Amino acid sequence: MTALLQVEGVGKRFGEFAAISDVTLDLRGGETLGLIGPNGAGKTTLFNMITGFLKPDAGSLRFDGAAIDRLAPAQRVARGLVRSFQKPMLFPALALRENIAMAARQHAGRGLSWWGGARATRAANDEADRLLIEAGLQHRAEARVADLAYGEQRMADLLIALALRPRLLLLDEPTAGLAPDEARRLLAIIRRHDEGTSVMLITHEVEIAFAACDRIAVLNLGRLLCLDTPAAVQAHPAVREAYLGALAA
Amino acid sequence: MSLSRLALPMAGLAAMAAVAALSGDFQLRFLAEILLIGTAVLSLDLLIGFGGLISLGHAALFGSAAYAAAIAAQHLGASLPVMLGIGIAMGTAVAALMGLVILRAGSLFLLILALLFGQIVWEICFHWREVTGGADGLRGLPPLSLGPWALGDARSLFVLAGLLALGSLGVARSFVASPLGRALIGTREQPIRMQALGYTLFSVRFRALLVAGAMAGAAGSLYPFVNLYVGPQSVHWTLSATMIIMLVIGGVGSLWGAFLGTAVYLALQTYVGAWTDRWQLCVGLLFVLTVLVMPQGLASGFLRLTRKGRTP
């Protein structure tokens, strides 16, 4: 498998604090890569650098063989690099269907159209309905997202990202705060879409990382402790000491 | 277009015809002024109500188009399509220049940059005496015409302003419902998420500003012929601030509230102003009352009242 994403020697400082130091990792096409580590390990900072919301102080980023360091977030999205956020970022004044359609229209290259916008809107609404049916949320299509339950909002957040048909989907704690059955449903949707889509998954729930990921990268204090299969990560002495100690005991 | 969607424009046209038939010259010119300034306020509503872009330089778009039309009329005659074309082009061009400057910043800085940009336009109008008439402005314009028809009388100007207002309202509604309009709402509500969806904030906001500029420019191009004068106060920041007050009174984000707010403001200015110099005290009180009692503006309050009236 060839690397879809290559992160080489990336670093980021905030004043004296080194949030990320010399991190090198790769993500292969079709792979689900877990990113775990305690709070403050630098997981979200790394996401922000990969997606262009933060500029690295050192190192380089390549996506599908091409350097992406100088690209703005929107340009990276156009190449198929799509992310979600720790908290659902939805458009409260718009209905659920319209939230997803906003992404679908942009993917179709009609996000800024006016004349002929009705056709673009219809096609985007169809795509949104398809995703809502898949998630079992079609009955909430017309609801304002501010009126949705938290679990529905998290699902909506994922559907918005999926409407962009990502090549690499970066999910920042997608199951945080969800009941176990809601988390299972959300993971099932992600798995259904992972054909042709690689996934990078930040999670604090190590059981989810071990069950859902092909490989896991462990960050601690901004440094990469190890990058390996779930079984190898579980057995890694530094990981056991720094992060999994309590779990492994 | 369905019958129900046609009902509102038809009612608007019918009301316009009735007013045109029954009102005198002063009232018709006054109503035309409300409709033209209301159209400029409507264009501001696109930016504030849907994009969250509070601009204190909006009068520059309206006023520069008014100047451009007045100057062109003195040299080329006042043909309606030419005046409208010049106004729309000027409003759009000034909006483009303004967008390149102000849309690099956000919130408070955007407001201040827009104010400064507007004041640069005011400086040009105020000091370029040979072209703009300086502090005296421009008067004695030829009357508007369309081919062989003269349109300089109050009735024709009122009808023109009414048609422009109705057309602008239709354009604004279509814009807000379009993918571009929804994207503008998205940039107001979740700018970071919009970038994560592949939208460039500048592109969305710049396009909205161009649309607002074209609309304000169209209104500005007819203004000198209704007002029979254009002066530097038409590009001054105080007019931009007045437009914001009109919009808040009418209802931010309501579109048609822009006309309601403009009508209330100008009625207070004209009728209370004829009775006392302290008419602005009334505006201030109304503004405070609106913000406290009806923060969504008179348009929303009016709609709520009519819905209550219909409930058995």
Side-chain angles (χ1 to χ4, degrees), chain B residues 251-294:
Chain B
V252 177
S254 65
L255 296 182
W256 71 277
F259 295 99
L260 192 57
T262 307
V264 168
Y265 185 99
L266 291 180
L268 285 174
Q269 184 185 38
T270 304
Y271 294 105
V272 179
W275 173 63
T276 170
D277 288 341
R278 298 197 175 113
W279 63 272
Q280 282 176 320
L281 187 65
C282 295
V283 173
L285 280 173
L286 179 67
F287 185 78
V288 171
L289 273 176
T290 308
V291 171
L292 292 179
V293 182
M294 278 184 210

Side-chain angles (χ1 to χ4, degrees), chain A residues 53 73-74 77 82-85 89-94 98 102-103 105-106 110-115 117 120-121 157 160-161 164, chain B residues 171-172 174-183 185-200 203-204 207 211:
Chain A
F53 285 87
V77 175
V82 176
R83 72 171 293 178
S84 73
F85 293 85
M89 278 204 185
L90 307 170
F91 306 102
L94 304 179
E98 250 193 294
M102 182 90 82
R105 278 196 299 266
Q106 180 65 4
R110 304 300 301 271
L112 299 182
S113 60
W114 183 359
W115 309 120
T121 300
D157 201 57
I160 289 171
L164 290 164
Chain B
V171 168
S174 146
F175 173 84
V176 171
S178 74
L180 178 57
R182 306 325 266 177
I185 295 172
T187 60
R188 181 195 67 195
E189 297 204 340
Q190 292 286 7
I192 292 174
R193 186 64 196 253
M194 285 300 279
Q195 292 176 75
L197 295 186
Y199 289 88
T200 308
S203 298
V204 178
R207 283 169 167 81
V211 173

Side-chain angles (χ1 to χ4, degrees), chain A residues 1-170:
Chain A
M1 256 191 280
T2 54
L4 181 66
L5 175 73
Q6 291 167 284
V7 177
E8 283 173 17
V10 161
K12 182 72 192 175
R13 299 186 73 86
F14 297 105
E16 290 300 304
F17 175 64
I20 289 285
S21 304
D22 194 24
V23 168
T24 296
L25 58 83
D26 66 301
L27 184 142
R28 301 160 190 166
E31 182 180 36
T32 298
L33 178 71
L35 194 55
I36 65 171
N39 282 333
K43 304 182 295 293
T44 299
T45 302
L46 185 60
F47 257 36
N48 285 339
M49 287 192 287
I50 293 170
T51 50
F53 285 87
L54 271 181
K55 198 170 180 286
D57 298 327
S60 68
L61 297 158
R62 298 182 79 78
F63 184 67
D64 203 15
I68 55 169
D69 308 69
R70 290 173 178 274
L71 299 184
Q75 292 170 303
R76 299 184 198 206
V77 175
R79 295 188 177 207
L81 233 159
V82 176
R83 72 171 293 178
S84 73
F85 293 85
Q86 258 178 35
K87 287 182 182 166
M89 278 204 185
L90 307 170
F91 306 102
L94 304 179
L96 173 57
R97 179 189 285 122
E98 250 193 294
N99 267 261
I100 302 166
M102 182 90 82
R105 278 196 299 266
Q106 180 65 4
H107 176 69
R110 304 300 301 271
L112 299 182
S113 60
W114 183 359
W115 309 120
R119 197 185 307 157
T121 300
R122 263 197 306 277
N125 284 347
D126 289 346
E127 172 69 1
D129 284 341
R130 190 184 67 73
L131 286 164
L132 285 169
I133 289 168
E134 193 182 331
L137 282 177
Q138 65 273 31
H139 61 291
R140 305 289 273 153
E142 297 295 336
R144 272 162 34 101
V145 292
D147 300 330
L148 298 180
Y150 180 73
E152 292 173 325
Q153 289 190 0
R154 285 238 76 124
M155 184 64 86
D157 201 57
L158 173 65
L159 298 181
I160 289 171
L162 289 174
L164 290 164
R165 307 250 178 116
R167 294 180 66 202
L168 170 56
L169 180 58
L170 297 104

Side-chain angles (χ1 to χ4, degrees), chain B residues 131-206:
Chain B
V131 177
T132 62
D136 298 331
L138 298 171
R139 295 174 194 276
L141 305 172
L144 264 181
S145 63
L146 180 62
W149 297 289
L151 303 171
D153 61 293
R155 190 155 286 114
S156 302
L157 289 169
F158 167 72
V159 170
L160 279 178
L163 291 174
L164 180 72
L166 273 177
S168 299
L169 200 52
V171 168
R173 280 175 185 275
S174 146
F175 173 84
V176 171
S178 74
L180 178 57
R182 306 325 266 177
L184 184 63
I185 295 172
T187 60
R188 181 195 67 195
E189 297 204 340
Q190 292 286 7
I192 292 174
R193 186 64 196 253
M194 285 300 279
Q195 292 176 75
L197 295 186
Y199 289 88
T200 308
L201 301 184
F202 179 84
S203 298
V204 178
R205 290 170 173 166
F206 189 70

